[in-house]
Amino acid sequence: MAQISLTFPDGNSRDYDAGVTPAQVAESISKSLQKKAISATVNGAHWDMQWPITEDASVAIHTMQDDTQALELIRHDLAHIMARAVQEIWPDVKVTIGPVRDNGWFYDFDREEPFTPEDLGQIEAKMKDIINARDAVTTEVWDRERAIKYYEDRGEPFKVELINRIPEGEDLRMYWHGDWQDLCRGPHLQTTGQVPADGFKLTHVAGAYWLGDSSRPMLQRIYGVAFKNRKDLKAWETMMEEAAKRDHRKLGKDMGLFHLQEEAPGQIFWHPNGWKIYTTLQDYMRRQQERDGYVEVNTPQVVDRKLWEKSGHWDKYQENMFIVEVDEDHAREKAINALKPMNCPCHVQVFNQGLKSYRDLPLRMAEFGSCARYEPSGALHGIMRVRGFTQDDGHIFCAEDQIESETAKFIAFLSKVYADLGFHDWTIKLSTRPEKRIGSDESWDFVEKALGDACRAAGYDYEILEGEGAFYGPKLEFTLTDAIGRNWQCGTLQVDPNLPERLDANFIGADGSKHRPYMLHRACLGSFERFIGILIENSAGKLPFWLAPRQVVVASIVSDADGYVQEVVDALRAVGVRAEADFRNEKINYKVREHSLGKVPVIIAVGMKEVEERTVSVRRLGEKQTSMATLDEIVTTLKAEGTPPDLK
């Protein structure tokens, strides 16, 4: 039999018969590893313990100590175990697909009766029975004809359709969890008993169209979460409880920031308080960009389809664009325009006006560009996922040898912004060349290395996402971690030689001939709407004083103090502090509770004692104790606190 060489993480190699499985490899190393092993990585691919290895490869054996692989398998196996449980309880239910997602999985079912909360409890109990049975998980590869007949005989039309969508020549892999079977690429654990029975929970049911197509049947999607043990599950439940308290939609209402209504789905009605956050943040970003050498532009929101065709967006992005038809001068044919879903083609138009020299590069162009994208109604979520939004968009036009320095400069810029906004924990991911791409390998080598070197030069490590770059260039993604451990992908930097080529952008080089610039698409916040939602949830509504829309409320304890209340308000406003008076004939404790609910950072109480002594009683949000200060002291203190961090 032919021999293959397997290389392990420590650099050692061993020879095996071709077709050896990871389970056999683990057994050859030690009996204890064989018992602990759950999967392998073979030449970078996650590999089932039962799959044969037929050629020389690098191999790593995984156990439950390897969180990434263990959680993927636990969640994937639970999707199958849940589907098995559902069909054991209700044999007439049809199954479809059940992928891993976020902290768990979902599985879509075709059932006439809606699932109830009581049903979820019944399904959970059955799942634990299946786990405790410790049934073997086995796998086979079938030919297409056999697989289709199997599902047709069992009345599973969705599985038949899935098989027909799989390209000819691809393996059709079948998995059994005990006697229950599913079509699946794998990998999976070796027994149902390897799944922690106390580490999962079914969370909710939602409707979902088959394959996301609204013209297809409406299915029922059951969601679940899973972790390696009960402790991690409880930590997640605690985080979810905290997240519910921080929900920007609830806090937005309490703080009077915005509202949404059905006449404008996915678009925001900003109230004065919310708009103050928006404009304060925008003013801050404008100052930062000016300091970093950006020129600000503003481009049209409605653009003829001809530009979108040239840029390639009409073919690739049309279903997400809002189309505007105009009877131009009563012409027989209507002109077709689109609301811009992104700003980049318009920025190339600005660059193309007038001759550009290599001395003009890098040209850093920024716009607070209002964009519109069609998002399905089911995907909309408060101000986090909307149809109308404004990006802190920027495009850097540069030569190839400037990519690294401009990337490093942007990372430093982004680092300062995130720190000023209270985010010190963030990561970088580098998405590299996909299988289908344009450009030479040498060009990709150069640009990928430039991005990696820029990250290191800026003092940051990065994770590589193999093959996840765009077809025309690699990109960096910047992901924030908030106060309760959730990750938010916000900033991006995308290297693009393609759009300047399509839209005929060029500059005159030192050699006197024309050259194509590279275009670096970059955003720091992403969209203002989503980032403000993140800020609200990260701070639980207790925004930094400089960013809070209502910074100070001065409340009278007795009506005789009203004159002094106004004097305090006037003194604070004179130094730029957003202060307001509360003269209402209500008890001071009532006023404090109400303004605390509205997340006002500082509440100043004024009674006759304060009038006589020209002092104020100060309570800060979240603190039970009050402090006394003179009027001059509080004005000086709050003026300093209200100064944006970049102006201090």
Side-chain angles (χ1 to χ4, degrees), residues 578-604:
R578 294 187 283 277
E580 58 191 77
D582 185 346
F583 299 125
R584 292 176 300 163
N585 187 23
E586 301 283 359
K587 291 183 178 179
I588 190 62
N589 287 341
Y590 175 86
K591 295 180 181 181
V592 169
R593 281 195 302 272
E594 184 181 79
H595 297 309
S596 296
L597 179 66
K599 307 301 180 186
V600 177
V602 176
I603 302 170
I604 293 176

Side-chain angles (χ1 to χ4, degrees), residues 127-315:
M127 291 171 69
K128 290 178 181 178
D129 289 343
I130 294 169
I131 291 168
N132 292 331
R134 301 188 63 81
D135 289 333
V137 178
T138 57
T139 182
E140 293 179 3
V141 175
W142 284 7
D143 62 55
R144 186 174 298 265
E145 184 178 344
R146 181 184 178 188
I148 289 175
K149 184 176 187 308
Y150 179 88
Y151 285 120
E152 285 179 342
D153 290 348
R154 283 156 181 76
E156 294 283 9
F158 298 100
K159 291 296 183 184
V160 173
E161 183 175 345
L162 283 176
I163 291 172
N164 288 328
R165 286 174 171 269
I166 296 173
E168 290 286 346
E170 280 196 24
D171 288 344
L172 299 181
R173 184 168 288 281
M174 303 296 176
Y175 270 92
W176 283 262
H177 299 255
D179 294 330
W180 186 86
Q181 185 267 0
D182 202 359
L183 169 72
C184 183
R185 288 190 175 94
H188 281 282
L189 295 166
Q190 302 309 292
T191 74
T192 61
Q194 288 179 298
V195 174
D198 61 352
F200 78 92
K201 177 188 177 96
L202 303 186
T203 57
H204 63 289
V205 181
Y209 291 110
W210 171 232
L211 299 178
D213 184 345
S214 60
S215 67
R216 305 299 302 277
M218 172 64 78
L219 307 174
Q220 295 187 66
R221 177 172 293 177
I222 300 180
Y223 289 89
V225 295
F227 302 90
K228 288 169 60 176
N229 50 55
R230 180 174 176 78
K231 178 183 174 184
D232 290 348
L233 174 61
K234 287 294 182 184
W236 176 85
E237 289 176 331
T238 299
M239 187 181 77
M240 289 299 99
E241 291 170 4
E242 183 62 31
K245 296 175 188 174
R246 294 167 177 260
D247 191 318
H248 73 279
R249 294 166 298 181
K250 176 183 179 300
L251 291 171
K253 183 176 181 180
D254 292 342
M255 298 169 68
L257 304 181
F258 59 84
H259 83 273
L260 304 140
Q261 61 187 65
E262 61 182 15
E263 288 84 357
Q267 300 186 78
I268 304 165
F269 292 81
W270 287 104
H271 298 190
N273 291 338
W275 195 241
K276 178 53 69 175
I277 299 173
Y278 192 109
T279 56
T280 301
L281 184 61
Q282 189 177 77
D283 290 344
Y284 164 81
M285 289 301 299
R286 178 173 282 116
R287 292 192 300 270
Q288 292 289 56
Q289 289 178 164
E290 286 179 355
R291 290 192 184 103
D292 219 46
Y294 287 82
V295 292
E296 186 174 335
V297 300
N298 188 268
T299 59
Q301 287 184 264
V302 181
V303 179
D304 193 291
R305 66 178 287 179
K306 294 174 185 175
L307 180 60
W308 303 116
E309 288 172 340
K310 287 181 183 177
S311 71
H313 291 99
W314 192 259
D315 290 334

Side-chain angles (χ1 to χ4, degrees), residues 318-385:
Q318 184 180 345
E319 64 182 22
N320 296 104
M321 298 169 73
F322 286 97
I323 308 302
V324 181
E325 292 187 356
V326 180
D327 188 2
E328 205 73 73
D329 295 326
H330 305 291
R332 291 182 180 179
E333 270 189 39
K334 289 186 176 180
I336 299 177
N337 301 273
L339 295 176
K340 65 177 178 182
M342 63 276 296
N343 303 295
C344 30
C346 292
H347 285 192
V348 179
Q349 305 313 301
V350 176
F351 179 87
N352 283 346
Q353 297 302 302
L355 196 63
K356 298 294 187 300
S357 159
Y358 70 95
R359 294 187 180 88
D360 298 316
L361 304 185
L363 175 59
R364 306 181 192 101
M365 191 180 298
E367 178 178 8
F368 299 122
S370 295
C371 298
R373 296 179 188 173
Y374 174 74
E375 297 280 359
S377 58
L380 301 177
H381 178 70
I383 64 174
M384 297 284 209
R385 189 79 176 266

